[in-house]
Every structure is written in C-alpha cells, then in structure tokens.
Amino acid sequence: LAALAAVGQFAGSVYTPSIPSMAVELGQSVPAVQATYGVFVAAFAFSVLIWGPIADAAGRRKTAFAGLSIFLIGTLAATFAPDLGTLLLARVLQAVGAASGIIVSRAATRDSFEGADLTRVLAAVSIAFAIVPGVTPLLGGLIEMAASWRVSFALAFVAGAVLILAAHRRLPETLPEKVPINLAELSVSYRMILGDRGFVAYALSAALVFSSMGAFFAAGPQLYIGVLGITPAEFGLYPPLSVAGFIIGASLVRRLSDALAPARLASLGLAVMAFGVTIMAVFPLGGVAHKHLYTLGMVFVATGLGLFLPTAIAAALQRFPERAGTAASIQGCFQMLGASCGAFLTGAFQESAPTLALPLTMAAVLTGGVLVFALLVPRSPAAAS
C-alpha cells in the first residue's frame, strides 16, 4: 500500500535535479520545463476524482492494475520524448495512472482500520510516502551527473513494472461490498461530502499546506543548483534531511493520536511549519541566502507537515466510512491541486525573485491553510474527531 501511494511521488520528482539541464537540451526556459512538474501534479489531482468511484465499483485490485498499466505507458513515452510538448503529454499519462495508487492505498487502509488505528496506519504509510520524494532527488542528481534525465524516467518505468508484479502477488481485495457506478448516486455522494464542513476544513487546509511541497519540488532545483551554485548530486543530499523531519512528525502522530484530539495535533503541526517558513523567509529578506538556512527551514516545515497531513487526512476520511473511495478521491484531488498551485505560483516569479520566490510562496499558502483550519474546523470534540 505504501509503494502504491509513493509510485507517483517517485515518478514526479526523480528527474527534478535535471530541470536546468533539460531546459538546455530541449531548448526551453527553466520555467517552461518546471511546468512538467506542475502539469503532472494537476493531472494527478483531477485523475483521483475518477479513480475513487472506480475503486468502489471495480474493487481495489483491478483499479490498481489498470492505473499501473497506464502509468507504465506514460513513463515509457516520457523516457523517449523528443520535445517538451511530447514530454508534457507523457507526464499527463503518467499522472493519470499513478493517481490510482494513492486512492487504492488510502481506500484499502480505510477498509481495514478505524479510529486511532486508522490515524496510526496512515501515519506509517505517510512515512513511506515521504521517504520516496526525499530520496529520489539524490538518486536523480547522481543520474544527471552520470547519464541523463531520460535514465531517471527509465528507472521509474522499472519501478512501476516491479510494483505491478508485487501487487499481483501481495495486494488483497479489501473492499467488503462493491458499489456500482451510478451518476445520480455519485452526484449525491459528492454533494454530501463537499457539504460536510469538517471534511472540507481538513481537506482544504491539507491542500493549502501541501502546496508548500509542490513549491519546493518545482523551484528547489533551480534555487539550489541555478542560483546557489551547487551540483545536482549535492542538491540530492538535502531533501533526505527534510524527509527525516517528516518521519519525526509522522512518528509523533503515531504516539500522540490517542492522547491528543485531531484538531490539537494538527494545530501543533501548523505551528512547527510556520517556524520553518519563517527561517526560510527572514534571512533572504535580510540579504542572507544560504543553502543550509533553506535546508534547516525545510526540516521544520517537513516535521510540521508530518504532524499535520496524516492527522488531517484521517480526520477527513473518518467522516465517510461508507464512501471511503469517493472521499479519498476528493481529498486527494484537493491535496494534489494544492501542490500544483504551489509549483506554478513559485515558478511564476522565481526569475524575478530567485531567493525569495520559494519562501514567500510557502508563507502565502501556509497562511491560507491556517486561516481555513482556524475558521472552518469544528471545535467540539465529537465534530473534530
């Protein structure tokens, strides 16, 4: 389940250290090539809306196999893409297929666990989910220095092929009862879920908070490599430090989920994220832009995200146990649209504000997440749990 959730993360970020050199090879600007990340995340976001109802109607296994097959086709096309236009289309296919993995992962987890157990298991899956984008930039940086960005996509194809074989052997069918796709009923489900204040509060705040990671993965390579002048391989050393922060945060969720209400635990995560973003913004505003300061800030941001994200996801999904697939698809759409917005927003003014675009974008989206959380999350224990 963790691998299914993470395959999109792997394919989405393994090539990012190559973005500056890809711009040269493809004869495009850096922001144009950065769009390959934003397009992937946006396509991923809308695709989860399709896979949720399919997972409820066809079952978790069939949905996983169908999605992984589409993912492999898109990844193969990306590996041999001759120009940016073809690469963008291939990235859309990649994203459509990979989106099935996160839906199957979360829906199957929701099928199998309840209450604090669900929060703890989602935290464990989130740890694995975070390790992948933390490690892949290092792998991608080494590949960039030794070979080319096409090898990164070829490696993603191999990972997808191994995963589809592993899912065939190890993934059980957890759906207790299939729900045929009925457009009228689906419309009712969407209205019911989107009309629930608690669900929207947790899902929308999670989307805004997760935008910070979209901004980092899109703008980080150009900031560290193009502006601060480090090598692609050295850049790959820094995301794992942020992942360590996320693991710390998610591990704390596993320990504290019985003792603290979801709203309080999530608030703690937001506070830690705000501290990290402050570090990243204050020093560049004072004229000090250093790789270690950005990395220190990202460690705190990731730690807070590790506290907030699994808590918010569990709180959102627990409100609709009988519609876990559809609820997971809506929540996933919100989350990935947030990441896409973060990627496009920071790319829009990175050339004009190379050291400040990333921290200011993160500050803006985090502020939005805090406001949504503060204004919309129900405060009674029953409503917030």
Side-chain angles (χ1 to χ4, degrees):
L1 293 176
L4 281 171
V7 67
Q9 289 284 81
F10 181 84
S13 60
V14 68
Y15 79 104
T16 54
S18 299
I19 285 177
S21 66
M22 288 171 67
V24 175
E25 180 180 333
L26 297 174
Q28 302 288 337
S29 67
V30 169
V33 178
Q34 284 176 336
T36 60
Y37 182 84
V39 164
F40 178 92
V41 179
F44 193 107
F46 287 110
S47 298
V48 296
L49 293 174
I50 300 170
W51 289 117
I54 292 174
D56 286 341
R60 313 312 188 202
R61 279 177 59 87
K62 289 181 179 179
T63 301
F65 297 145
L68 287 172
S69 298
I70 295 172
F71 170 79
L72 290 176
I73 294 171
T75 304
L76 192 63
T79 303
F80 297 102
D83 51 48
L84 182 60
T86 304
L87 181 58
L88 288 169
L89 291 174
R91 292 286 283 169
V92 170
L93 272 180
Q94 260 193 321
V96 170
S100 68
I102 195 169
I103 292 303
V104 170
S105 178
R106 290 179 179 174
T109 302
R110 182 63 189 88
D111 292 339
S112 307
F113 299 95
E114 295 280 351
D117 287 336
L118 174 62
T119 303
R120 281 191 290 268
V121 173
L122 277 174
V125 172
S126 295
I127 289 173
F129 182 76
I131 288 174
V132 171
V135 173
T136 49
L138 173 58
L139 181 59
L142 294 173
I143 291 173
E144 166 63 19
M145 297 190 71
S148 85
W149 57 273
R150 297 183 188 276
V151 177
S152 294
F153 283 112
L155 187 59
F157 180 87
V158 173
V162 171
L163 179 56
I164 201 170
L165 293 174
H168 180 72
R169 295 187 60 184
R170 299 292 302 275
L171 179 66
E173 180 54 69
T174 61
L175 182 64
E177 183 178 352
K178 295 181 180 179
V179 181
I181 294 178
N182 181 301
L183 293 181
E185 175 62 25
L186 187 59
S187 176
V188 171
S189 295
Y190 273 98
R191 288 200 301 271
M192 180 183 300
I193 293 169
L194 291 173
D196 183 87
R197 173 181 168 180
F199 178 89
V200 171
Y202 279 111
L204 183 56
S205 59
L208 287 164
V209 167
F210 196 69
S211 295
S212 60
M213 299 311 294
F216 175 74
F217 282 114
Q222 176 63 11
L223 171 63
Y224 279 81
I225 300 170
V227 177
L228 302 180
I230 69 174
T231 66
E234 184 184 354
F235 168 70
L237 295 173
Y238 297 117
L241 296 176
S242 300
V243 169
F246 189 95
I247 292 173
I248 291 170
S251 298
L252 287 173
V253 170
R254 289 169 60 81
R255 292 178 177 272
L256 299 175
S257 57
D258 285 326
L260 296 179
R264 184 164 297 181
L265 193 54
S267 297
L268 177 62
L270 292 174
V272 175
M273 289 190 73
F275 180 71
V277 171
T278 300
I279 293 174
M280 296 179 68
V282 167
F283 286 98
L285 283 170
V288 180
H290 194 277
K291 58 188 178 182
H292 294 325
L293 290 173
Y294 286 112
T295 303
L296 177 63
M298 278 304 304
V299 169
F300 280 102
V301 169
T303 300
L305 188 65
L307 282 163
F308 182 85
L309 195 61
T311 304
I313 292 172
L317 297 187
Q318 284 191 119
R319 305 184 77 85
F320 296 97
E322 74 287 355
R323 291 177 170 85
T326 304
S329 69
I330 295 174
Q331 186 280 319
C333 178
F334 276 31
Q335 180 177 328
M336 300 311 291
L337 275 179
S340 178
C341 290
F344 284 117
L345 181 60
T346 193
F349 63 102
Q350 190 172 24
E351 288 189 341
S352 59
T355 61
L356 286 170
L358 177 59
L360 293 184
T361 297
M362 296 176 78
V365 296
L366 179 59
T367 299
V370 170
L371 289 174
V372 169
F373 185 82
L375 296 175
L376 296 183
V377 168
R379 290 306 171 196
S380 68
S385 62

